Amino acid sequence: MLTEETGPGHPTNGGPANGTGSTLRTGGNLVQLISPEGERVHRPEFDVWIKDLGDEQLLALYEDMVVIRRIDKEATALQRQGELALWPPLLGQEASQIGSVRALRDDDFIFPSYRESGVAYCRGARLTEIVRTWRGNALYGWDPHRIKMATPQIVIGSQTLHAAGYGMGILNDGSDNVTITYFGDGATSQGDVNESLVFAASFQAPVVFFCQNNHWAISEPVTVQSHIQLADRAVGFGIPSMRVDGNDVLAVMAATRIALDRARKGGGPTFIEAVTYRMGPHTTADDPTRYRDPNELEDWAAKDPIKRLRTLLEAKGALTEEQIAAVDRKADQVGADLRNSCITLPDPQPMDVFEHVYSTPNSWIERQKDHYSRYLASFSGSGAGGSGSGLAEGTQEGGVR
Amino acid sequence: MLTEETGPGHPTNGGPANGTGSTLRTGGNLVQLISPEGERVHRPEFDVWIKDLGDEQLLALYEDMVVIRRIDKEATALQRQGELALWPPLLGQEASQIGSVRALRDDDFIFPSYRESGVAYCRGARLTEIVRTWRGNALYGWDPHRIKMATPQIVIGSQTLHAAGYGMGILNDGSDNVTITYFGDGATSQGDVNESLVFAASFQAPVVFFCQNNHWAISEPVTVQSHIQLADRAVGFGIPSMRVDGNDVLAVMAATRIALDRARKGGGPTFIEAVTYRMGPHTTADDPTRYRDPNELEDWAAKDPIKRLRTLLEAKGALTEEQIAAVDRKADQVGADLRNSCITLPDPQPMDVFEHVYSTPNSWIERQKDHYSRYLASFSGSGAGGSGSGLAEGTQEGGVR
Amino acid sequence: MSQLTFARAINAGLRKALENDPKVVLLGEDIGMLGGVFRVTDGLQKDFGKHRVVDTPLAESGIVGTAVGLAYRGYRPVCEIQFDGFVYPAFDQIVSQVAKLHYRTMGSVKMPITIRIPFGGGIGSPEHHSESPEAYFTHTSGLRVISVSNPQDAYTMIQQAIASDDPVVYFEPKRRYHDKGEVDEAADISTALSMERARVVTEGKDVTLVTYGPLVKTARDAALAAKDEGVSVEVIDLRSLAPVDFPVIEASVRKTGRLVITHEAGQYGGLGAEIAASITERCFYYLEEAPVRITGFDVPYPYSRLEMHHLPDLDRILDGVDRALGRPNSLSGLEG
Amino acid sequence: MSQLTFARAINAGLRKALENDPKVVLLGEDIGMLGGVFRVTDGLQKDFGKHRVVDTPLAESGIVGTAVGLAYRGYRPVCEIQFDGFVYPAFDQIVSQVAKLHYRTMGSVKMPITIRIPFGGGIGSPEHHSESPEAYFTHTSGLRVISVSNPQDAYTMIQQAIASDDPVVYFEPKRRYHDKGEVDEAADISTALSMERARVVTEGKDVTLVTYGPLVKTARDAALAAKDEGVSVEVIDLRSLAPVDFPVIEASVRKTGRLVITHEAGQYGGLGAEIAASITERCFYYLEEAPVRITGFDVPYPYSRLEMHHLPDLDRILDGVDRALGRPNSLSGLEG
Ligand SMILES: Cc1ncc(C[n+]2csc(CCOP(=O)(O)OP(=O)(O)O)c2C)c(N)n1
Ligand SMILES: Cc1ncc(C[n+]2csc(CCOP(=O)(O)OP(=O)(O)O)c2C)c(N)n1
Ligand SMILES: [Mg+2]
Ligand SMILES: [Mg+2]
């Protein structure tokens, strides 16, 4: 808890050595541990948090990023081919997603937005589970309790309050779990996100607020939401914050580890602004050429998160041609699996529409269900089941008619 | 607009000389220009904003505070006597209300909460207009357009968004008006208040956010809402803020003038935390002995806003016995007028219930109205009008029955 | 058996739930030290601690949104909304999260959240303190909505609501908080009447009168008054507003052929419309007259000196009974 | 006369309003440079400037709450809610402020705010993008609620809504955005049919079929199909959902004796319930059968590969018509 004396914007400085309650003030400067050119930048107070990462671990991070980019590419292609109804690309945000999710413990719970497919993949979501929502074959992706990650949240900002509540539950349990919630730059304007900061700060709940500032909320640049850095927002709630290069997987991981450690030790919430860029459209339904300067895209291409880790590893001699090829093969395999599991997804059954509205039978729904099954059964001509025709009206044979 | 370089919590320092966009950083220190003991404390950068106030003006502020305290006392008594259904006392917050409202121009618009009866009085609300809402004789107090002040807002925080929108309207008009919105410490937790800060900052709207931190939200101490100063909140939105002694009418006025000036000159919103204390219950329905340490009340009694101005004026020889008596007579007169206008308020007419739902006739309401007037007319026994009996069930004669 | 006020009965039910299940937590504004503005949670924080009975920051979306997170973590949160008119800031979390998460996750995530809302008028309060917003929730799939009319049900049904794996919105008729009634505190919630069931509280044969919450008392009084005039009114206390226990109403209407529904909420799209429509569908050939609705007017809740006009009372209900019976009434002779 | 898509017709109506009244301002997410996710505001920011067509921060309560403030300042704000499922964060501002301010201030403060909401399903979208929340608003006193079914009405009624001194919620059937129709851009909104009036769009004598928004087209198709079977269906496009123009429905039902209502929203407490209940009250002795409701199910909006089951279609409507006529139908033989 910050003391009264601390005043605005002055969370106590200090590295990890300070232990519980310590926090790093990043001020206006981005924390960056790998430059866009792939050089290792040293910042001792952050370096200490990633010193355990050897070549093997770095290679694994590289592989993760390559694989989730492939997932993204494949899913985008599937959407273009009509196999998915929609897809929200993560292109450009690989380091933010991988650096953060790989810092978590398996039993830490994640409350994502809709763009964290890479996080879900690392968390153990099956490929079918990742795509079926976007194919329109299910509302849900995976069982949140199995992989300790909620399903994609579409209502902007809602999930951050769930995280604050989950964190309050962790406190009640006396556990050292932490929960992390992902949200965008646009989301910071929603009342819910700000209320979540209030609750997490009030109860000192173990929550990591992970804001991926990808500079756009659909067509609105981040300056519509705020004229100052988003990282500053949290400070006004008494929550320490860090601003990191979101295209730098090491910086993201260091910051996330700092925040997790702080929370585990009872130090309460932390806010991380990962400064990154949405390289693709908002979703496959969007056309960014209507509102975005193509030069901006070029600038950010030069800061690519995968390229810079690759350059770093190559310079260290820690990434051979064979290793690159092996990673690409793995990515190809995942891409092929994704495609296959997508197009072979079984169609849902009509009566599924009534399942799981309630956890116990509900007289009103049961009656509606009964009536609809009678209705379907009345289509003598069309065999078992029948089907509605809301989209292609009047195309089917009449039932009892 | 703050630049990216400014970093968290560092609005540009500088006194009024800086002109547009200038703001005073108060840090952890309360701005105080009159000590609780009634001594004038000098802070040049604030003094300059009140240097035009001579003895006459100070006496007027004193009178205002005495009068609104009397209004409060009389209204509380009326409630105890069953003449008002409810009353939200302002006792202890006189300096916050007077220092701010008296800084405004007549054509600046006010969006209050429910506790700003003192503000309303100064603004020209009639005494009947102040009490009729609380008597249950009307939903509304006054015509907001007449006195440039919205009616009391009961839904916590809602009015702050109205202010942000009004401010956007001022910008569109190219006018140098400013709007001020009043809200409590508890309100700072509401999503709406935070969204209002987002909108005001985004559009640099001429809004003064006036937070009366009276330390309590009904039974909850301000620490439930925030562990750090509320003034710090705004800074994270890019809005400069000041923290002033809310029991010091001069400090409040100086700060409000600074904020107004800044807004008028296109400098955008400012947040003022007026640190004060709710000396009475939350409303007349509340019993603070259930949750509040009586010592706290004593401490704050020593910081009384009226007493300190009176001591200051007396020390200056600017407040004679006769002047004190004259002010008290004025207060007595206002108190008597208040009582009189309250108890003589005419009862509403039954059919008023249907008025003003829409601004033009609405077929559904017209029909309901017609049916209810037929129903009332059916009470042949009880003469014209009849009346429902929701509260005293079954007490009246049947109509057509 | 003890004599308890309505408020004390809910308090006793909450206490029982807190005792029986360590996962039950209460969240709300002023529910701790103060015991809630109506004292419904009086003494619970003292006995169960600040982690079980939580004074939250002043933000309703926050209260319900954090309850969702607590439910993810295995808790059974009970949220108090201080007054009916302050539930709307939480509407998004209720409608898009609480109500839909079970469906969204195909049953993986349960939302055993209870949202307590003191509702209705008649207490002389200012704006936003007397509303009847139940139809917003009954129209929301995924929620169960109940209301209680007497201390015994209040005691039992709050426990049933908390025990339910589905989210339940629990409407408390605030103007009855001080009414007393017998409460069997040993009542077992698993053998008590299910919270999905309605109850015939006064038997009758001429007219069926359906209501819930605060107006159950008024309806029973009306039935008594009607009896003096030789009209036998069957009063049904719905208890469950979503789903409504239609078989109970159906059985009654098949007997009486006449239906009156009364509630404080506005008529247009109120719950009475659903009941009138559904019963007309189910009992068309049994109905002697169109179902009659006696409700609050479709106006914002008026100031307190007018509220007795807005609220259905005994006489307005009896006028509706006359209408259902085809006897002379205030609208006699009106076409359509 | 020009051939315009639905979306272009609204765009033209907005343009006209912006031209005619400098106090009209548009607020919303992505409505500026992008022209809205459905391009309904395409080109308007370019032509009227950033102060008239405002890209707001991402917060719906903020959009509606600032619109209230703009209305205080004498503006006529038009808010765009990007999709139906995102209106709930603004619910409090709509229900407690927009709807009540005129009543609260006894007419001193007008709230000439229009809230545009693309609504309904059938476009294969993910969750929260296909809902039909109109009943929440029709149950809210102080609001006018309208929906449009064709480009001409879309063009005229958006202007009428903006010109209205009352707040209007304007529901746009998003799956019809690309449908084309004749639009007379010279149409005068003061002489055009009032937005409170319903319209008979297909005349008939056997059954009355009432609907609005996206299902008007479906209903007309159903009437055509029924004609082939010798059944004459009268289709009424409500246009105004609050208040409903009951006299038009009444007149039709007195003629046909049969009523079917269809909407995409869930049935329980949907607008269909009000219409069934009100028409039963007004036309009890003319009705040959109970009014029939053909609606979306009372489930959260399902994922897109199931939505064709959820949405009423031609066949389900015809099954309802059979039910209203007492002809064999899918529920024949069911008791009650
Ligand atoms: C409450 C709500 N309002 C509007 C939308 C429509 N919408 C979907 S994504 C989006 C922009 C989100 O931007 P940001 O938070 O920056 O996340 P990003 O998409 O960049 O990851 C909007 C407005 C929504 N999903 N929820
Ligand atoms: C949205 C909403 N929630 C709850 C309430 C009930 N309530 C009325 S006043 C109040 C406390 C407000 O505290 P604060 O903002 O500090 O203002 P103060 O009363 O101290 O002036 C509460 C919880 C309300 N009026 N509105
Ligand atoms: Mg973004
Ligand atoms: Mg306070």
Side-chain angles (χ1 to χ4, degrees), chain A residues 197-241:
Chain A
L197 295 172
V198 168
F199 275 68
S202 179
F203 299 109
Q204 290 291 293
V207 181
V208 179
F209 290 92
F210 196 89
C211 176
Q212 290 181 77
N213 174 1
N214 65 7
H215 285 79
W216 292 92
I218 310 186
S219 74
E220 298 188 355
V222 60
T223 47
V224 170
Q225 321 295 337
S226 179
H227 297 313
I228 66 167
Q229 297 172 4
L230 298 175
D232 298 347
R233 175 73 57 84
V235 178
F237 291 81
I239 297 179
S241 75

Side-chain angles (χ1 to χ4, degrees), chain A residues 17-191:
Chain A
N18 289 16
T20 305
S22 78
T23 153
L24 294 162
R25 176 154 167 264
T26 61
N29 297 325
L30 267 190
V31 178
Q32 190 179 79
L33 303 182
I34 315 176
S35 74
E37 295 72 33
E39 272 159 32
R40 185 71 171 78
V41 184
H42 286 288
R43 284 193 62 171
E45 72 279 30
F46 288 91
D47 291 347
V48 62
W49 287 97
I50 52 159
K51 61 173 191 269
D52 59 311
L53 299 185
D55 290 347
E56 201 183 322
Q57 285 78 24
L58 293 182
L59 183 63
L61 294 176
Y62 171 76
E63 181 180 303
D64 279 344
M65 292 199 288
V66 171
V67 169
I68 70 169
R69 180 169 289 187
R70 185 65 57 92
I71 288 175
D72 188 58
K73 193 177 164 194
E74 197 65 41
T76 302
L78 283 164
Q79 194 282 332
R80 299 296 177 216
Q81 292 150 14
E83 296 291 345
L84 293 183
L86 192 79
W87 177 254
L90 58 80
L91 187 70
Q93 302 180 212
E94 295 85 355
S96 291
Q97 297 198 12
I98 296 301
S100 54
V101 66
R102 288 305 188 196
L104 301 177
R105 247 171 39 192
D106 279 353
D107 58 344
D108 293 333
F109 203 98
I110 302 170
F111 289 94
S113 89
Y114 42 82
R115 207 180 287 289
E116 284 69 57
S117 304
V119 172
Y121 172 74
C122 292
R123 202 56 178 192
R126 299 176 190 112
L127 295 167
T128 40
E129 292 175 338
I130 292 172
V131 287
R132 67 180 165 196
T133 303
W134 307 109
R135 188 170 168 87
N137 274 62
L139 285 182
Y140 88 130
W142 44 84
D143 175 349
H145 293 304
R146 184 174 65 79
I147 69 168
K148 296 272 175 202
M149 175 170 176
T151 54
Q153 176 59 255
I154 290 175
V155 184
I156 300 294
S158 287
Q159 75 279 11
T160 61
L161 273 171
H162 308 167
Y166 193 94
M168 289 160 66
I170 294 174
L171 287 180
N172 276 17
D173 293 344
S175 145
D176 71 347
N177 276 158
V178 180
T179 179
I180 186 171
T181 178
Y182 291 87
F183 53 100
D185 44 299
T188 60
S189 294
Q190 282 286 3

Side-chain angles (χ1 to χ4, degrees), chain A residues 140 173 192 195 353 356 359, chain C residues 61-62 73 75 102-104 166:
Chain A
Y140 88 130
D173 293 344
D192 272 10
E195 292 189 7
V353 77
H356 305 297
S359 64
Chain C
S61 189
R73 182 78 191 178
Y75 284 85
H102 190 261
Y103 192 75
R104 178 178 305 153
D166 293 322

Side-chain angles (χ1 to χ4, degrees), chain B residues 11-349:
Chain B
T12 326
N13 280 2
N18 289 14
T20 305
S22 79
T23 153
L24 293 162
R25 178 154 165 264
T26 62
N29 298 325
L30 267 191
V31 177
Q32 192 178 77
L33 303 182
I34 316 176
S35 74
E37 294 73 32
E39 273 159 31
R40 185 71 171 77
V41 183
H42 286 288
R43 284 193 64 171
E45 72 279 31
F46 288 91
D47 291 346
V48 62
W49 288 97
I50 51 160
K51 61 171 191 273
D52 59 311
L53 300 184
D55 289 348
E56 201 182 323
Q57 286 78 25
L58 294 181
L59 183 64
L61 294 175
Y62 171 76
E63 180 181 303
D64 279 344
M65 292 200 287
V66 171
V67 169
I68 70 169
R69 181 169 289 186
R70 185 66 55 93
I71 288 175
D72 187 59
K73 193 177 165 196
E74 197 65 41
T76 302
L78 283 164
Q79 195 283 332
R80 299 295 178 218
Q81 293 152 13
E83 296 292 345
L84 293 182
L86 192 79
W87 177 255
L90 58 80
L91 187 69
Q93 301 180 211
E94 294 85 355
S96 291
Q97 297 198 12
I98 296 302
S100 53
V101 67
R102 289 303 189 196
L104 302 177
R105 246 170 39 193
D106 279 354
D107 58 344
D108 293 334
F109 202 98
I110 302 171
F111 289 95
S113 90
Y114 42 81
R115 208 180 284 290
E116 283 70 57
S117 304
V119 172
Y121 172 73
C122 293
R123 201 58 178 189
R126 300 177 189 111
L127 294 167
T128 40
E129 291 175 338
I130 291 173
V131 287
R132 67 179 164 197
T133 304
W134 307 110
R135 186 168 168 90
N137 274 62
L139 285 182
Y140 89 130
W142 45 83
D143 175 349
H145 292 305
R146 183 174 66 78
I147 69 167
K148 296 272 174 203
M149 176 170 176
T151 53
Q153 176 58 254
I154 290 176
V155 183
I156 300 294
S158 287
Q159 75 279 12
T160 61
L161 273 172
H162 307 167
Y166 192 94
M168 290 160 64
I170 294 173
L171 287 181
N172 277 18
D173 292 344
S175 145
D176 71 346
N177 276 159
V178 180
T179 179
I180 186 171
T181 178
Y182 291 87
F183 53 100
D185 45 298
T188 60
S189 293
Q190 282 286 4
D192 272 10
V193 173
N194 292 282
E195 291 188 8
S196 178
L197 295 172
V198 168
F199 276 67
S202 179
F203 299 108
Q204 290 291 291
V207 181
V208 180
F209 290 92
F210 195 89
C211 176
Q212 290 181 77
N213 174 1
N214 65 6
H215 285 79
W216 291 92
I218 308 187
S219 73
E220 298 188 356
V222 59
T223 48
V224 169
Q225 321 294 339
S226 179
H227 297 312
I228 66 167
Q229 297 172 3
L230 297 175
D232 298 348
R233 174 73 57 84
V235 178
F237 291 80
I239 296 179
S241 75
M242 289 176 269
R243 187 161 187 266
V244 306
D245 186 335
N247 284 9
D248 170 352
V249 70
L250 293 188
V252 172
M253 181 169 282
T256 310
R257 284 177 165 189
I258 290 169
L260 290 168
D261 181 68
R262 187 172 181 282
R264 263 191 240 297
K265 292 178 174 155
T270 300
F271 186 102
I272 297 172
E273 177 188 358
V275 181
T276 179
Y277 194 75
R278 194 194 80 206
M279 301 293 290
H282 169 67
T283 66
T284 47
D286 180 38
D287 173 12
T289 64
R290 287 180 69 97
Y291 54 80
R292 197 155 78 169
D293 181 350
N295 293 328
E296 201 180 280
L297 205 62
E298 261 176 52
D299 292 350
W300 280 92
K303 303 180 195 167
D304 189 277
I306 297 186
K307 204 179 59 193
R308 71 171 86 172
L309 181 59
R310 179 168 162 163
T311 311
L312 177 78
L313 286 172
E314 284 175 339
K316 288 177 82 181
L319 190 65
T320 62
E321 290 288 322
E322 296 92 88
Q323 282 170 319
I324 291 175
V327 166
D328 286 346
R329 271 196 308 279
K330 162 94 190 251
D332 287 345
Q333 187 55 50
V334 171
D337 288 352
L338 180 85
R339 167 168 298 266
N340 191 48
S341 61
C342 173
I343 60 183
T344 58
L345 269 170
D347 273 341
Q349 292 303 304

